[in-house]
């Protein structure tokens, strides 16, 4: 039953309100107990009887208090709920099926989806309905659905995380059908991501409607028009620009930034985009020098935490500089017969072309080399003279790729810059004076650079230059052959570079290969070999003086999770054939990320070139009840009403005591009792109408210093991100419970502080989670933080990015490190070092060797020890107690400490060893003991005991 924003989950209990008149009559008929007064002279009156007795009635204000107490208790037992998500999410009276979309698109506003699911579970718990939690993107293939109590279903819900692939709704529908077999009157609530993946939305919705109760009706949560997930894909633009395409299903006006990051996590550039209400795609263009553009390894939509909002780039996305040199003058040649015409058209979308306006081949070569070309293509150039040949050979040995095409000049003779010696003269296939016919291409070998490409049957070779078979050595690689086995494309190593020869012309004189799409794909793969300076190429590695083609099967070595963070691949990941990588869509077995060798990886992304996003709203059947993700959670009023009723009962007791003892004689019994009643009613009304307001008011009136100093109180910095602040609060609360159970420290509840306005001096430890978009602190705030650290406070900066850190020359570095540098840019930070062996932090309570949190592997940084003049070590700040004023970690400590009401972990740890969470709590205990006791454990008195424990 609902009355506006108020709903009653057990409305039948409201019938007890009919008994209030009977209660009123009984209270009026039964007077309060008379007050006894001992007066000795009254013994003379013993035996006298009063002829007239006047009963004393209960005062009206006392009757009102008792009636209100009874009414509030009746209302509380009816389970009232404020803002119950429109009060109609639960259908049927049987088991409740909670279907949760947890694909990549659900990572956007994941906290909202979890809140909506928790609200549904709260309603199920109020009416005692069993629940089945169904993820549409399960992390494993073997998923068992079962009926659970709502309390246990909360644990199953808390274990869900977004997955980096689209939901498999058809499989989820089969599992739901199996588990509901034999069940009647089931209700279904679908917490959707709002996207019709693979056009399965309509079939899935109709299947749920068939299983739901109440004539096929069920509830579906849909995101708002401006709350749809965004996806990102990158593609090369004109003139070497990098273009990012942002796509969505629908929505209103939306704008944001796309950031470009290097492999080390450095932000190289950013570009703004804007989506109009009628647009589902927008462009963000990056204009950067080619050298910087080729360092971009990752594009990411700022503030959009999902695997779809991240696009990984590999070597195929790098733009090389390609110099084109032809043996025929461009002015004299026919446009379609020019030797470089088809090469230019093939390479324009993938490379920056250098076409020297020089008829002199020697000058053109020198110009291309001076402009740092990584690939040089020479069409029909026979023999080079000594000086340019030596210059070109030196360039190749440094890592350049020389691609040569045959022609009439090369047919007559060549130089040493060839992958294979050639026979003089060419071979003509077909024609009036030839017995042979034009030859098609043979399929490409698995060891070929062109493995996975399809040779069209209509590509025919009419003429070619022949390799001398007597001089073919093991260093020569044949990447393409004719059907009769004759080499068509050969290659060989020369120093750090590569020599490649097409045994046909670059135009259509000798074959129709340049007219085919295969020609474009072949050139695209060849130009990725060119990295002057010895850098690795895509798909191949060049070591040991030979070209080693990448394996035909690629294994994952880094994968994106649902929030777009690079991690180790899951156990379910399976290898992909190189030939099928381009058509592979991310799935449970093939998550998005990097595949192959770390030296030459291949990237697999959510948003491929064929991905289109469609809204789910237009595919739902008419019987589906559509709900929006509300910003306000449902608020149960039962606890507040029970507390109000109990307060009225206490007020009644106090009033009776006052009347009995006569304490109200000074002011008059009526005035005192009326004042008590008024205060009770005022407090109850405020508490019942605005739950928590009285508590907040009382809390605001308490002296801050008294509360913060009564017990050790730890604080966390408010970041503005609700989910981050929630994890910080729950993490410190979990650490508080562990400290209370294991140590003599009994901290108070954690306090949220605003570093700009709150007083920090009361808190010995300040936990500061660093957002990736953190900005430099204002000067006044920076001075306040600096004073706090120098006057005895400790700040734990947690970048929380170890799970997506990238290897660098100095260890692992993630995007949080860059944000931390911006945040601390105006602070007077002392020199830092990783916690050295024997540091007080390693033995303040537990003996530790590492400092894991939700992630492990990230170091813990403290103030560095300094050498004093007498050879002893000291600390730069707070030398009296030896405590570092700043700690920096990337292991996400609060997430590992966060516990629910039943002391169960809220978030999984990675990689997830059984002792990792226990070690994380030990790290927290050591930090607290270190901050509170200083260098106590470093005292020489404890050295023997510590040595004995280390020996054990």
């Amino acid at each position: 039953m609902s009355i506006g924003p108020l709903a009653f989950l057990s409305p039948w209990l409201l019938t007890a309100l009919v008994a209030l008149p009977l209660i009123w009559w009984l209270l009026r008929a039964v007077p309060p107990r008379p007050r006894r007064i001992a007066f000795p002279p009254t013994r003379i009156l013993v035996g006298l009887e009063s002829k007239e007795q006047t009963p004393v009635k209960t005062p009206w204000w006392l009757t009102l208090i008792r009636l209100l107490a009874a009414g509030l208790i009746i209302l509380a037992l009816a389970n009232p709920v404020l803002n119950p998500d429109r009060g109609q999410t639960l259908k049927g009276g049987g088991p409740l099926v909670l279907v949760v979309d947890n694909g990549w698109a659900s990572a956007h506003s994941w906290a909202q989806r979890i809140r909506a699911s928790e609200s549904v579970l709260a309603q199920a718990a109020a009416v005692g309905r069993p629940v089945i939690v169904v993820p549409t993107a399960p992390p494993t293939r073997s998923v068992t659905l079962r009926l659970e109590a709502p309390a246990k279903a909360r644990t199953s819900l808390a274990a869900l995380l977004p997955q980096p692939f689209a939901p498999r709704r058809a499989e989820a529908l089969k599992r739901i059908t199996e588990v509901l077999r034999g069940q009647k009157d089931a209700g279904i609530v679908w917490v959707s991501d709002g996207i019709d993946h693979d056009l399965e939305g309509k079939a899935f919705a109709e299947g749920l409607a068939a299983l739901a109760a109440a004539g096929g009706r069920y509830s579906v949560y849909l995101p708002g028009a401006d709350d749809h997930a965004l996806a990102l894909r990158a593609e090369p633009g004109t003139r070497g620009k990098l273009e990012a395409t942002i796509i969505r299903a629908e929505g209103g006006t939306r704008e944001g930034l796309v950031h470009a990051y290097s492999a080390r996590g450095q932000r190289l550039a950013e570009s703004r985009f804007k989506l109009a209400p009628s647009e589902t795609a927008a462009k963000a263009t990056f204009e950067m020098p080619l050298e910087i553009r080729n360092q971009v390894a990752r594009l990411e939509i700022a503030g959009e935490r999902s695997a779809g909002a991240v696009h990984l780039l590999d070597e195929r996305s790098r733009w090389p500089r390609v110099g084109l040199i032809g043996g025929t003058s461009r002015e004299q040649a026919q446009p379609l017969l020019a030797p470089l015409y088809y090469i230019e058209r093939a390479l324009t979308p993938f490379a920056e072309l250098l076409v020297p306006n020089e008829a002199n081949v020697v000058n053109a070569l020198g110009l291309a080399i001076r402009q740092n070309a990584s690939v040089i293509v020479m069409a029909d150039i026979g023999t080079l003279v000594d000086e340019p040949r030596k210059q070109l050979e030196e360039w190749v040995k440094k890592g350049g790729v020389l691609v040569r095409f045959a022609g009439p000049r090369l047919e007559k003779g060549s130089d040493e810059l060839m992958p294979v010696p050639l026979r003089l003269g060419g071979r003509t296939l077909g024609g009036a004076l030839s017995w042979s016919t034009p030859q098609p291409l043979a399929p490409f070998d698995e060891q070929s650079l062109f493995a996975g490409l399809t040779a069209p049957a209509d590509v025919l070779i009419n003429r070619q230059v022949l390799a001398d078979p007597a001089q073919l050595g093991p260093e020569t690689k044949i990447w393409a052959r004719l059907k009769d086995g004759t080499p068509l494309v050969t290659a060989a190593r020369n120093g750090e570079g590569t020599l490649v020869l097409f045994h046909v012309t670059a135009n259509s004189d000798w074959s129709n290969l340049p007219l085919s799409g295969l020609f474009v794909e072949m050139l695209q793969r060849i130009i990725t070999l060119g990295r002057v300076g010895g850098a690795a190429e895509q798909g191949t590695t060049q070591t040991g003086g030979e070209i080693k083609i990448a394996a035909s099967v690629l294994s994952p070595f880094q994968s994106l999770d649902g929030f777009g963070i690079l991690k180790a691949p899951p156990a379910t990941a399976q290898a992909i054939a190189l030939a099928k990588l381009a058509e592979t869509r991310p799935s449970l077995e093939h998550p998005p990320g990097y595949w192959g060798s770390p030296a030459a990886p291949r990237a697999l992304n959510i948003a491929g070139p064929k991905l289109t996003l469609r809204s789910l709203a237009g595919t739902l059947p008419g019987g589906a009840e559509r709900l929006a993700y509300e910003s306000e959670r449902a608020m149960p009023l039962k606890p507040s009403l029970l507390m109000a009723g109990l307060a009225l009962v206490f007020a009644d007791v106090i009033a009776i005591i006052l009347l009995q003892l006569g304490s109200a004689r000074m002011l008059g019994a009526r005035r005192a009792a009326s004042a008590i009643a008024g205060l009770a009613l005022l407090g109850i009304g405020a508490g019942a109408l605005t739950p928590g307001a009285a508590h907040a008011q009382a809390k605001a009136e308490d002296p801050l210093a008294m509360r913060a100093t009564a017990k050790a109180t730890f604080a966390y910095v408010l970041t503005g991100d609700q989910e981050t602040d929630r994890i910080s609060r729950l993490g410190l609360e979990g650490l508080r419970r562990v400290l209370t159970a294991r140590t003599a420290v009994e901290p108070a509840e954690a306090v949220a502080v605003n570093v700009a306005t709150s007083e920090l001096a009361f808190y010995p430890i300040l936990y500061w989670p660093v957002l990736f978009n953190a900005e430099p602190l204002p000067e006044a705030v920076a001075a306040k933080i600096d004073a706090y650290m120098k006057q005895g406070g400790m700040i734990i900066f947690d970048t929380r990015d170890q799970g997506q850190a990238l290897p660098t020359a100095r260890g692992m570095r993630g995007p949080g490190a860059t944000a931390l540098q911006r945040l601390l840019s105006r602070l007077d930070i002392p020199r830092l070092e990783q916690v050295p062996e024997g540091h007080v932090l390693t033995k303040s309570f537990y003996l530790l060797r590492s400092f894991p949190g939700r992630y492990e592997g990230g170091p813990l940084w403290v103030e560095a020890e300094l050498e004093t003049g007498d050879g002893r070590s000291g600390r730069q700040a707070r030398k009296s107690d030896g405590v570092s004023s700043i700690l920096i970690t990337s292991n996400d400590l609060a997430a590992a400490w966060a516990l629910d009401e039943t002391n169960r972990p809220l978030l999984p740890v990675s990689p997830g060893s059984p002792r990792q969470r226990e070690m994380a709590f030990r790290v927290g205990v050591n930090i607290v003991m270190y901050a509170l006791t200083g260098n106590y454990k470093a005292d020489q008195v404890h050295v023997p005991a510590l040595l004995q424990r280390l020996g054990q």
Side-chain angles (χ1 to χ4, degrees):
M1 186 179 84
S2 299
I3 304 176
L6 184 65
F8 294 90
L9 302 183
S10 301
W12 60 272
L13 288 173
L14 295 177
T15 57
L17 293 175
V18 180
L20 288 180
L22 178 60
I23 297 174
W24 174 81
W25 180 80
L26 290 174
L27 293 176
R28 293 282 296 173
V30 180
R33 182 180 177 184
R35 180 163 48 91
R36 292 180 178 273
I37 300 177
F39 186 58
T42 58
R43 291 187 59 84
I44 62 177
L45 302 178
V46 175
L48 297 178
E49 295 183 1
S50 175
K51 296 182 179 180
E52 182 179 356
Q53 296 181 355
T54 303
V56 178
K57 297 181 179 180
T58 303
W60 68 268
W61 47 266
L62 193 58
T63 302
L64 179 61
I65 288 178
R66 293 173 177 176
L67 287 176
L68 285 177
L72 289 176
I73 292 175
I74 294 173
L75 290 175
L77 294 177
N79 287 322
V81 177
L82 189 64
N83 298 324
D85 290 339
R86 302 185 183 180
Q88 301 294 327
T89 58
L90 299 185
K91 299 295 181 183
L96 174 67
V97 181
L98 178 61
V99 184
V100 181
D101 277 344
N102 62 324
W104 67 265
S106 65
H108 172 74
S109 301
W110 177 249
Q112 267 192 338
R113 289 165 172 78
I114 292 298
R115 284 197 297 268
S117 303
E118 289 176 345
S119 175
V120 173
L121 292 180
Q123 296 179 52
V127 296
R129 295 179 63 177
V131 180
I132 306 171
V133 178
V134 184
T136 57
T140 60
R141 280 292 183 187
S142 58
V143 177
T144 303
L145 302 182
R146 56 186 179 275
L147 286 169
E148 299 176 318
K152 194 171 183 181
R154 289 180 182 273
T155 304
S156 301
L157 178 65
L160 290 185
L161 288 174
Q163 300 299 318
F165 47 83
R168 301 191 298 270
R169 291 171 177 158
E171 298 179 12
L173 182 61
K174 293 180 181 178
R175 293 194 297 269
I176 297 172
T177 304
E178 292 176 0
V179 77
L180 288 182
R181 187 174 290 120
Q183 300 287 341
K184 296 182 179 180
D185 203 19
I188 296 179
V189 178
W190 178 13
V191 181
S192 77
D193 58 18
I195 295 179
D196 188 5
H197 299 276
D198 300 326
L199 302 180
E200 292 181 347
K202 183 177 181 181
F204 185 66
E206 292 174 349
L208 293 181
L211 296 173
R217 294 188 63 196
Y218 65 100
S219 303
V220 181
Y221 279 91
L222 293 171
D226 299 329
D227 201 28
H228 275 271
L230 303 178
L232 176 70
R233 62 168 171 254
E235 52 196 19
T238 59
R239 297 184 180 180
K241 296 178 182 178
L242 184 61
E243 289 185 349
T245 303
I246 300 92
I247 59 176
R248 64 175 178 178
E250 64 176 3
T253 301
R254 192 167 177 181
E255 56 184 320
L257 292 173
V258 178
H259 292 158
Y261 293 96
S262 68
R264 298 181 177 181
Q266 300 169 321
R267 187 188 298 179
L268 301 178
E270 62 182 31
S271 180
R272 185 170 296 277
F273 70 90
K274 183 175 182 179
L275 287 160
S278 59
E279 293 180 336
T280 58
K283 295 281 188 181
T285 304
F286 294 88
E287 297 187 14
M288 298 175 284
L290 186 64
E291 288 77 8
I292 297 180
R293 180 204 185 281
N294 286 340
Q295 295 180 28
V296 177
R298 174 189 178 107
L299 296 178
E300 181 177 341
I301 302 177
E304 188 82 7
R305 295 186 60 195
S306 77
V310 175
H311 188 94
L312 302 176
L313 303 177
D314 55 27
E315 291 293 330
R316 294 173 297 175
S317 304
R318 311 292 189 262
W319 266 50
R321 279 197 178 98
V322 180
L324 303 183
I325 301 173
T328 305
S329 173
R330 294 168 59 88
E331 290 78 14
Q332 295 177 358
Q334 294 286 339
L336 296 180
L337 298 179
L340 300 177
Y341 177 81
Y342 297 102
I343 299 177
E344 287 187 46
R345 296 300 183 273
L347 295 181
T348 296
F350 311 109
E352 179 181 336
L353 302 183
L354 303 175
V355 186
N357 191 17
E358 280 280 351
N360 189 316
V361 174
V362 175
N363 295 339
L365 275 175
L367 183 60
I369 293 174
R370 287 194 300 272
Q371 292 184 355
N372 296 324
S374 57
V375 180
I376 293 180
V377 179
M378 298 172 58
D380 192 21
I381 295 179
T383 303
L384 294 172
V385 296
D386 290 343
E387 188 60 31
R389 181 181 57 77
K390 292 180 181 179
Q391 185 181 9
L392 186 58
E393 184 176 8
E394 183 180 355
W395 172 84
V396 171
K397 288 182 178 180
K398 291 181 179 180
V401 174
L402 177 61
V403 182
R404 305 186 70 168
F405 284 84
R409 292 180 177 82
L410 194 64
E411 192 179 31
K412 296 177 181 179
S414 62
D415 49 37
E416 292 81 1
L417 291 178
M418 302 291 291
V420 60
L422 301 177
R423 285 185 175 181
L424 293 178
R427 177 195 182 196
T428 302
L429 303 171
L433 302 178
S434 174
W435 292 96
S436 58
T437 58
Q439 288 287 313
L441 301 183
F444 299 111
D445 299 335
E446 291 186 358
Q447 297 301 316
S448 169
L449 180 67
F450 308 136
L453 301 182
T454 302
D458 57 349
V459 173
L460 300 175
I461 307 301
N462 302 315
R463 190 173 179 179
Q464 66 174 146
V465 293
L466 294 174
D468 189 349
Q471 301 188 48
L472 281 175
E475 70 279 357
T476 301
K477 304 298 178 182
I478 301 177
W479 288 348
R481 299 176 184 268
L482 300 184
K483 192 173 183 179
D484 61 3
T486 307
L488 177 65
V489 181
T490 55
R493 292 283 290 149
N494 189 334
E496 295 294 328
T498 309
L499 299 173
V500 182
L501 173 63
F502 281 76
H503 292 240
V504 293
T505 58
N507 57 17
S508 58
D509 288 347
W510 288 12
S511 71
N512 62 352
L513 175 63
L515 305 178
S516 67
L518 176 63
F519 186 68
V520 178
E521 295 175 327
M522 294 169 75
L523 288 179
Q524 184 180 0
R525 292 198 179 185
I526 290 174
I527 63 175
T528 58
L529 301 175
R531 299 290 180 266
V532 175
E537 76 276 6
Q538 174 59 36
T540 67
T541 55
Q542 301 181 2
T543 58
E546 65 178 63
I547 301 173
K548 182 179 179 182
I549 306 301
S552 58
V553 177
L554 305 178
S555 298
F557 67 91
Q558 274 189 317
S559 299
L560 291 172
D561 67 0
F563 292 109
I565 300 174
L566 276 174
K567 296 182 176 179
T572 57
Q574 301 177 7
I576 305 177
L578 176 62
K580 297 182 179 180
L581 180 65
E583 60 189 36
T584 299
R585 295 183 56 188
S587 63
L588 178 64
E589 293 79 13
H590 304 136
Y594 285 119
W595 296 70
S597 169
R602 293 288 183 96
L604 178 63
N605 291 288
I606 291 287
K610 297 181 180 179
L611 178 66
T612 56
L613 302 180
R614 298 176 179 86
S615 176
L616 184 65
T619 63
L620 296 178
E625 181 188 17
R626 307 185 184 195
L627 303 175
Y629 291 101
E630 302 292 342
S631 58
E632 295 184 1
R633 300 180 60 182
M635 182 181 298
L637 298 181
K638 181 177 180 179
S640 300
L641 293 177
L642 286 176
M643 186 178 298
L646 183 62
L648 285 176
V649 171
F650 278 115
D652 175 77
V653 172
I654 294 173
I656 292 297
I657 292 175
L658 290 177
L659 291 175
Q660 293 287 333
L661 298 179
S663 300
R665 184 177 300 174
M666 295 177 61
L667 297 175
R670 267 180 204 280
R671 293 175 58 190
S674 300
I676 293 174
L679 291 174
L681 295 178
L682 181 61
I684 297 311
L689 295 178
T690 57
H695 172 70
Q697 181 66 22
K699 184 176 180 181
E701 294 175 354
D702 290 340
L704 177 63
M706 293 295 295
R707 289 189 294 110
T709 57
K711 288 186 177 181
T713 305
F714 309 139
Y716 62 94
V717 174
L718 292 173
T719 63
D721 183 85
Q722 294 183 359
E723 183 64 15
T724 301
D725 296 339
R726 184 178 76 92
I727 295 300
S728 298
R729 177 179 60 82
L730 294 177
L732 293 183
E733 173 62 20
L735 181 61
R736 184 185 71 83
R737 298 179 195 173
V738 172
L739 287 166
T740 303
R742 302 184 184 182
T743 71
V745 180
E746 296 183 1
E749 292 184 1
V751 176
V753 298
N754 185 322
V755 293
T757 59
S758 302
E759 177 58 54
L760 307 179
F762 306 121
Y763 312 110
I765 298 178
L766 191 64
Y767 180 79
W768 194 324
V770 180
L771 300 182
F772 293 170
N773 59 352
E775 297 297 333
L777 296 172
E779 291 185 3
V781 177
K784 180 180 179 181
I785 297 297
D786 188 69
Y788 168 77
M789 290 193 296
K790 290 180 178 179
Q791 293 172 5
M794 173 193 288
I795 302 181
I796 305 173
F797 290 99
D798 196 338
T799 60
R800 305 171 299 126
D801 61 345
Q802 178 63 22
Q804 66 183 92
L806 299 174
T808 66
R810 297 184 177 180
M812 304 294 287
R813 183 182 179 90
T818 304
L820 181 62
Q821 290 178 355
R822 293 196 304 270
L823 188 68
L824 305 182
S825 58
R826 294 179 178 174
L827 291 180
D828 182 19
I829 300 298
R831 189 170 66 89
L832 303 177
E833 67 177 358
Q834 297 185 23
V835 175
E837 186 176 358
H839 192 276
V840 182
L841 261 174
T842 64
K843 54 190 176 184
S844 58
F845 194 87
Y846 293 103
L847 297 178
L848 299 177
R849 291 185 174 86
S850 61
F851 302 86
R854 187 182 182 188
Y855 310 112
E856 64 178 3
L860 181 64
W861 296 83
V862 296
E863 289 186 34
E865 294 183 354
L866 297 179
E867 292 297 325
T868 59
D870 56 0
R872 296 176 300 175
S873 63
R875 295 206 169 267
Q876 186 171 357
R878 301 180 61 179
K879 295 180 182 179
S880 59
D881 59 357
V883 176
S884 174
S885 60
I886 180 172
L887 272 64
I888 298 177
T889 181
S890 60
N891 289 333
D892 201 358
L893 295 177
W897 299 336
L899 304 174
D900 61 11
E901 296 81 2
T902 60
N903 288 336
R904 294 185 178 181
L906 290 179
L907 298 171
V909 295
S910 176
S913 61
R915 285 181 55 82
Q916 183 175 341
R917 194 178 303 277
E918 170 61 21
M919 296 306 295
F921 278 118
R922 294 187 179 188
V923 170
V925 172
N926 273 30
I927 290 176
V928 171
M929 292 300 182
Y930 173 60
L932 298 181
T933 63
N935 57 2
Y936 166 78
K937 283 291 184 177
D939 198 319
Q940 295 297 317
V941 175
H942 300 278
V943 170
L946 292 174
L947 291 177
Q948 182 179 1
R949 290 187 62 190
L950 287 172
Q952 293 175 357

